[in-house]
Amino acid sequence: MKTKFETLMGLIVLLLIFVSCNTQTFEHYKAKAGNAKAQYNLGRCYFEGEGITMDKAKAVEWWQKAAEQGYAEAQYYLGRCYYEGEGVPMNKATAVEWYQKAAEQGLAEAQFNLGLCFRRGAGVAMNKAKAAEWCQKAAKQGLAEAQCALGNCYTEGKGVPMNKVKAAEWYQKSARQGYAQAQFNLGNCYYEGEGVPMNKATAVEWYQKAAEQGLAEAQFNLGLCFCCGAGVAMNKAKAAEWYQKSARQGNAEAQFNLGLYYFKDNGSVTKALEWLTKAAKQGHTGAKMLLNMIIE
């Protein structure tokens, strides 16, 4: 026999299911009645398969309706669908049109994606100045990806005058939000003393943060720091650990360095051959030369 508590919990679960189902139905009703926010939400449900069978073509239909009413988020997602060819034939020029509409309303994600289109010449004529301009708008709103991309613009002098100090500033803003690529780039700035005073210990800190998020380049650079004792106490075993993480992601330099470690420092010829072969297959010249030496 059920206790009062079990009965009450059962009723609560049924009530939640009832509310959820009716919310979906009500949202559908509002969307059909022309409510732009409801149309956008319904599009998300169809796109992600939330409470409804996934149907990206239907998602596009609802986003189109909301986008035509000026709903910025729908314009942005509709742009993404055209860019990727999801639920609609790929058309990067149409993607740019929708990104532009959302970007002009101040949506940071749309501003960033529009900047990328100008940078790549995707759906629009390549224009590095416009790319930097739109990235900056998004970066100023705090979008970490845009802040990192703007840092790249200043590093390379593309669309803006080269300015390593400003590059480091934007990498720092992005890195503090946990964006791995910016953490890696900022680590490079500190390692080389570009835009900031050289500080290899600080470089190691930023490499570590990016490496722990799985960024292969950061894992490799962190391995180098441990190998050379740059900014951290020399530790060949730790170096090998980070090389291995990077090597498993296909980084040829890491594969070569790991093979070299096993050959010179660990004495495991079998493992050395394994990693050197992987690097050589990717065209790594040093790995090919060392392999020939070992085999001969």
Side-chain angles (χ1 to χ4, degrees):
M1 189 170 177
K2 289 185 178 179
T3 65
K4 286 183 179 180
F5 177 75
E6 288 173 328
T7 304
L8 179 61
M9 289 304 294
L11 288 170
I12 289 171
V13 170
L14 288 171
L15 180 61
L16 287 172
I17 293 169
F18 175 79
V19 169
S20 175
C21 292
N22 279 276
T23 300
Q24 284 276 350
T25 304
F26 187 53
E27 201 73 6
H28 215 125
Y29 172 78
K30 286 195 296 180
K32 285 185 175 178
N35 183 292
K37 185 177 180 181
Q39 291 170 339
Y40 164 71
N41 287 340
L42 192 55
R44 288 292 298 267
C45 290
Y46 274 115
F47 193 83
E48 294 166 11
E50 284 186 1
I52 200 165
T53 304
M54 184 184 288
D55 188 329
K56 293 190 176 180
K58 281 192 178 178
V60 167
E61 286 176 23
W62 286 111
W63 280 337
Q64 182 93 31
K65 292 177 191 293
E68 286 171 357
Q69 292 193 68
Y71 200 79
E73 286 85 353
Q75 292 170 337
Y76 165 66
Y77 279 101
L78 187 57
R80 280 181 54 177
C81 287
Y82 275 107
Y83 194 91
E84 301 293 341
E86 291 190 301
V88 70
M90 185 184 288
N91 188 323
K92 295 195 175 178
T94 303
V96 167
E97 290 173 17
W98 286 113
Y99 284 153
Q100 182 100 30
K101 290 178 190 293
E104 287 171 354
Q105 291 195 67
L107 192 69
E109 293 84 358
Q111 292 170 338
F112 174 58
N113 279 22
L114 184 58
L116 289 181
C117 290
F118 276 113
R119 184 180 176 92
R120 297 166 180 165
V124 67
M126 187 182 290
N127 187 322
K128 298 295 172 71
K130 278 198 176 286
E133 180 186 330
W134 283 110
C135 271
Q136 187 160 51
K137 289 180 189 291
K140 284 181 175 177
Q141 291 196 66
L143 190 69
E145 288 173 279
Q147 291 170 337
C148 183
L150 185 59
N152 291 340
C153 292
Y154 279 113
T155 294
E156 299 161 8
K158 291 183 177 178
V160 290
M162 185 182 289
N163 188 322
K164 299 292 177 74
V165 173
K166 283 193 175 181
E169 287 172 7
W170 284 109
Y171 289 148
Q172 183 106 29
K173 290 177 191 290
S174 181
R176 284 176 175 165
Q177 293 194 66
Y179 192 63
Q181 187 64 52
Q183 292 171 336
F184 171 68
N185 291 357
L186 186 59
N188 287 340
C189 291
Y190 277 107
Y191 194 91
E192 301 294 341
E194 292 190 340
V196 290
M198 184 183 289
N199 189 323
K200 295 195 174 178
T202 304
V204 167
E205 288 174 20
W206 286 111
Y207 286 151
Q208 181 101 28
K209 289 178 190 293
E212 286 172 354
Q213 291 195 66
L215 192 69
E217 304 100 297
Q219 292 168 338
F220 173 66
N221 278 24
L222 188 56
L224 284 178
C225 291
F226 276 112
C227 185
C228 305
V232 68
M234 185 184 290
N235 188 323
K236 294 289 180 75
K238 281 237 179 236
E241 282 177 28
W242 286 109
Y243 287 153
Q244 187 160 58
K245 289 178 190 292
S246 183
R248 283 175 175 166
Q249 293 194 65
N251 186 307
E253 287 292 336
Q255 291 169 342
F256 170 68
N257 281 24
L258 186 59
L260 197 59
Y261 164 78
Y262 279 120
F263 183 66
K264 287 179 62 181
D265 300 300
N266 186 271
S268 175
V269 177
T270 304
K271 285 188 176 181
L273 288 171
E274 177 191 340
W275 287 108
L276 290 170
T277 301
K278 288 179 188 292
K281 283 180 179 177
Q282 292 197 66
H284 194 286
T285 306
K288 290 178 181 177
M289 290 173 64
L290 188 53
L291 271 175
N292 288 334
M293 286 173 58
I294 294 170
I295 293 166
E296 287 174 5

